[in-house]
Amino acid sequence: MSVPILRSPMEVRMIIADRVKRLRLQKNLSREGLAKKSGVPASTIKLFETTGKISFVSLVALSFALGRYEDFEELFKIDDMPKSLFDKEPKLRKRGQKK
């Protein structure tokens, strides 16, 4: 059963950009301040906040600078991965092979 898509990729990008901007402002950081802290140019941060466009590398750098890198832990999480060293690891399908 698939989940219906309620938002467009553009809407998702803009939601994330808005959240990053709000976090930046909550931490009382200017774009220049966040640029210094993250290594991402202020012009890139401005572009992201206004258009939602940013490279993944820059987005990760911003998340580290804002103390939110753990948010990436849930991104594309695979549910059947072992929870501990004692759990049996699932067999992953190799490219081009049928199950």
Side-chain angles (χ1 to χ4, degrees), residues 29-46:
L29 287 168
S30 64
R31 286 181 183 141
E32 291 76 18
L34 182 55
K36 278 185 175 181
K37 197 171 178 179
S38 67
V40 176
S43 59
T44 299
I45 296 169
K46 180 180 180 180

Side-chain angles (χ1 to χ4, degrees), residues 26-90:
Q26 281 178 0
K27 293 183 180 289
N28 202 26
L29 287 168
S30 64
R31 286 181 183 141
E32 291 76 18
L34 182 55
K36 278 185 175 181
K37 197 171 178 179
S38 67
V40 176
S43 59
T44 299
I45 296 169
K46 180 180 180 180
L47 181 70
F48 176 51
E49 290 180 353
T50 57
T51 67
K53 294 180 181 179
I54 193 166
S55 73
F56 186 72
V57 171
S58 293
L59 183 60
V60 171
L62 292 178
S63 73
F64 270 79
L66 293 168
R68 296 300 296 258
Y69 59 89
E70 71 278 354
D71 292 350
F72 285 100
E73 291 292 325
E74 295 298 314
L75 191 62
F76 302 114
K77 186 177 178 182
I78 299 174
D79 292 331
D80 62 349
M81 294 304 287
K83 307 283 188 265
S84 75
L85 293 174
F86 303 106
D87 289 344
K88 192 172 184 181
E89 199 168 319

Side-chain angles (χ1 to χ4, degrees), residues 13-26 34 45 48-49 54 59 62-63 66 68:
R13 288 195 323 255
M14 291 308 298
I15 289 168
I16 293 170
D18 183 61
R19 288 177 184 169
V20 168
K21 181 179 180 179
R22 289 171 54 196
L23 281 168
R24 175 178 65 77
L25 295 173
Q26 281 178 0
L34 182 55
I45 296 169
F48 176 51
E49 290 180 353
I54 193 166
L59 183 60
L62 292 178
S63 73
L66 293 168
R68 296 300 296 258

